[in-house]
Amino acid sequence: MSHSRAAEDEVDRLIAAWQQERPDLDVTPLEVLSRVSRLSRHLDRARRAAFAEHDLESWEFDVLTALRRAGRPYELSPGALLRATLVTSGTMTNRIDRMVASGLVTRHPDPEDRRGVLVRLTAQGVERVDAAFAGLLRRERELLAGLGEREQRALAALLHTLLVPFDASDGGSH
């Protein structure tokens, strides 16, 4: 194996088993991609825990952050929210309804389109998403604590290189 860590991880054991069972195959891609996959699961758990601290579900965080990133007055059309969160229109309608009921967003007529509506963050929504985002960043810094600043930048650059072709092939919608 190409890394020189003293501690073994689950991927090391997986690679060793495949090398034993299938020495004819080059399992090198597993060293990177299996670790990325496992890390993704750990990150997903950490994110859900960060959101739960602020009584939010992952999908609520996605909608709230899309609105927050839009800038004042923190509003978007349901169509823009669909594109930002990659869900169906029925799912988005249901999500908006639930968030209106919980006081996180409101619906307003779109002054540019008499048939359209805009979804806007409430003061409570801004407060919750800002707190949840700060909590998420704190947890993500903890996850990256084993890497120095230079290593984090290098890893980010390498992951960027891997991700760009995927985003380009699906229109950059992720």
Side-chain angles (χ1 to χ4, degrees), residues 1-20 26-32 34-35:
M1 283 171 245
S2 62
H3 55 86
S4 59
R5 289 184 168 66
E8 255 191 351
D9 67 8
E10 189 60 33
V11 175
D12 290 326
R13 291 183 280 280
L14 176 131
I15 290 168
W18 277 118
Q19 288 174 331
Q20 177 72 31
D26 176 10
V27 295
T28 304
L30 295 178
E31 288 193 66
V32 174
S34 289
R35 285 188 174 96

Side-chain angles (χ1 to χ4, degrees), residues 98-171:
R98 291 170 64 184
M99 294 175 75
V100 166
S102 65
L104 298 172
V105 301
T106 58
R107 282 189 179 96
H108 297 280
D110 184 341
E112 315 250 330
D113 177 359
R114 291 186 331 159
R115 295 171 295 150
V117 298
L118 294 172
V119 179
R120 183 181 300 163
L121 277 178
T122 62
Q124 177 188 356
V126 171
E127 183 179 308
R128 292 262 291 282
V129 72
D130 284 355
F133 187 55
L136 173 64
L137 291 175
R138 187 173 49 256
R139 283 185 182 263
E140 289 184 348
R141 273 192 286 284
E142 291 168 3
L143 289 172
L144 293 170
L147 299 176
E149 190 176 321
R150 179 178 288 151
E151 291 171 313
Q152 288 181 37
R153 283 195 306 269
L155 179 58
L158 290 168
L159 292 172
H160 177 267
T161 299
L162 285 175
L163 186 57
V164 164
F166 289 99
D167 282 354
S169 70
D170 70 7

Side-chain angles (χ1 to χ4, degrees), residues 80-93:
L81 286 170
L82 283 173
R83 288 186 295 280
T85 60
L86 302 173
V87 297
T88 66
S89 61
T91 298
M92 182 54 66
T93 298

